[in-house]
Amino acid sequence: QVRLVESGGGSVQPGGSLTLSCEASGFSDSTYCMAWFRQVPGKERERAASIYFKTGITRYADSVKGRFTISRASGKNTLYLRMNNLKPEDSGMYYCAANFDRQECRPTRNINYWGQGTQVTVSS
């Protein structure tokens, strides 16, 4: 029913910026929260940013605070992640995620739907 498709990944130099997009189909008003996770080989997938639909509150991993901004387009089923001042350690696969049963969008176990991922590489 719900499908999440990410785009916007690519290669960028340190200090550069990228904007990731997540196009959602089968989206509904029952969505509790959506999030961007990232994963590096050999490391667990972690929440980079999340947004809670009822309140509009956003949350971020400490490592990306002040640099990343998560947002949802009004009138369009698209989630964004604006990434500024990128660092090599930001490299990884970024996944769009959604929860529909009122569980917070931080633990991976709470995620009901995942996108396929989009690769971000930050290097000189």
Side-chain angles (χ1 to χ4, degrees), residues 20 36 49 51 58 60 69-73 78-82:
L20 306 183
W36 288 95
I51 183 167
T58 57
Y60 300 90
T69 302
I70 187 172
S71 62
R72 180 192 175 194
T78 305
L79 185 74
Y80 299 102
L81 183 67
R82 178 63 177 174

Side-chain angles (χ1 to χ4, degrees), residues 12-19 38 63-69 81-91 94 120-123:
V12 65
Q13 295 183 351
S17 299
L18 285 173
T19 298
R38 65 184 185 182
S63 59
V64 308
K65 286 181 180 177
R67 300 188 297 117
F68 289 15
T69 302
L81 183 67
R82 178 63 177 174
M83 305 184 293
N84 294 323
N85 192 24
L86 284 161
K87 304 174 180 179
E89 51 263 43
D90 293 320
S91 297
Y94 283 71
V120 172
T121 302
V122 185
S123 63

Side-chain angles (χ1 to χ4, degrees), residues 15-88:
S17 299
L18 285 173
T19 298
L20 306 183
S21 299
C22 173
E23 195 70 33
S25 59
F27 216 61
S28 72
D29 293 334
S30 66
T31 305
Y32 180 65
C33 56
M34 293 188 70
W36 288 95
F37 286 74
R38 65 184 185 182
Q39 187 172 27
V40 178
K43 185 179 179 181
E44 291 187 338
R45 192 173 299 185
E46 68 170 351
R47 191 279 311 278
S50 56
I51 183 167
Y52 292 81
F53 283 20
K54 182 178 180 180
T55 63
I57 291 175
T58 57
R59 300 189 185 279
Y60 300 90
D62 289 342
S63 59
V64 308
K65 286 181 180 177
R67 300 188 297 117
F68 289 15
T69 302
I70 187 172
S71 62
R72 180 192 175 194
S74 179
K76 187 176 181 180
N77 293 331
T78 305
L79 185 74
Y80 299 102
L81 183 67
R82 178 63 177 174
M83 305 184 293
N84 294 323
N85 192 24
L86 284 161
K87 304 174 180 179

